[in-house]
Structure formats: C-alpha cells, structure tokens
Amino acid sequence: MFLFLVIALAVVVAAVTLAVVGGGESDGPLPDVAPERLQDPLPLHRPLNRADIEGLRFPLTARGYRMADVDDALSRLGAELAERDARIADLESALAGAQAAAHVALHKPEHGQEEQQ
C-alpha cells in the first residue's frame, strides 16, 4: 500500500511539473510582451490641476508600479510645487511692501500741515 502511495505521489508531481513547464511542446518560450506604459501622462502644455492628479493611474507590474513612471510624475509635481511656492512668496512680499507703503503714506504728515502748526 505504501509503495502505491509513493508511485501515485510521483505521478501527481510529474503531471504538475509537465503542466507548469509546458508538457514538452516545441513551440519555444512564451513571446515577449511589451511592458505596459503610462497611458495618460501628465499634460505638458499647462500647469497641473487637481483633476490631473486624481485621474493619474499607474500601470501595475510584477512588483508594483513602474518606478520610471512614478519618478517622472513625482519630479513633475515637485517642480510645479516649487514654482508655485516661489510665486506665492513673491506675491506675499509684494503685498507686504504695498501694505507698508500704504501705511507710511497714511501716517506721513503733509508739508503744508507741518508749517501751520
């Protein structure tokens, strides 16, 4: 009985191995498939908006996402965020300068009023 179980186990292992390997067919290995690429890259002709980021979907690979696609998207987002931060800083400094000039102009006495006192 034990010998029968060992032979049955060997037959099952051989059948599974042949099924996985391909059964000895001479068609050769599987054909190479082109890797899936990011279908809708981020638009280059305009700044990104929230809808662009929410609609961004990376194609899956065997171990997650393609690093090149993710790196490209992150570098683009980083560059645009840096540009926006610089623009915000410029606008805030211009606003602070305008407010300071307006404050000085409001509190600066006119020449005619100084002479009358």
Side-chain angles (χ1 to χ4, degrees), residues 1 5 20-21 27 37 49 52 56 65 67-69 71 76 79 85-87 96 104 109 111-112 115:
M1 180 68 153
L5 289 176
V20 170
V21 173
D27 291 343
R37 296 293 301 179
N49 58 34
D52 294 329
L56 187 61
Y65 298 107
M67 288 193 304
D69 290 341
D71 289 345
R76 171 79 189 276
D85 289 346
R87 177 78 174 137
V104 168
H111 294 295
E115 294 173 3

Side-chain angles (χ1 to χ4, degrees), residues 18-92:
L18 286 176
V20 170
V21 173
E25 296 175 4
S26 62
D27 291 343
L30 294 175
D32 290 333
V33 177
E36 188 177 352
R37 296 293 301 179
L38 185 62
Q39 295 298 321
D40 295 323
L42 298 172
L44 299 174
H45 62 280
R46 64 174 171 77
L48 298 176
N49 58 34
R50 183 182 181 121
D52 294 329
I53 304 305
E54 288 175 351
L56 187 61
R57 298 291 179 260
F58 296 105
L60 293 175
T61 62
R63 294 186 181 204
Y65 298 107
R66 291 181 49 85
M67 288 193 304
D69 290 341
V70 176
D71 289 345
D72 290 345
L74 288 177
S75 66
R76 171 79 189 276
L77 289 172
E80 287 207 16
L81 286 174
E83 182 180 320
R84 288 179 186 177
D85 289 346
R87 177 78 174 137
I88 288 170
D90 289 344
L91 291 173
E92 286 177 344

Side-chain angles (χ1 to χ4, degrees), residues 104 107-117:
V104 168
H107 295 294
K108 182 179 179 183
E110 295 181 16
H111 294 295
Q113 291 179 352
E114 286 179 4
E115 294 173 3
Q116 290 176 357
Q117 291 179 357

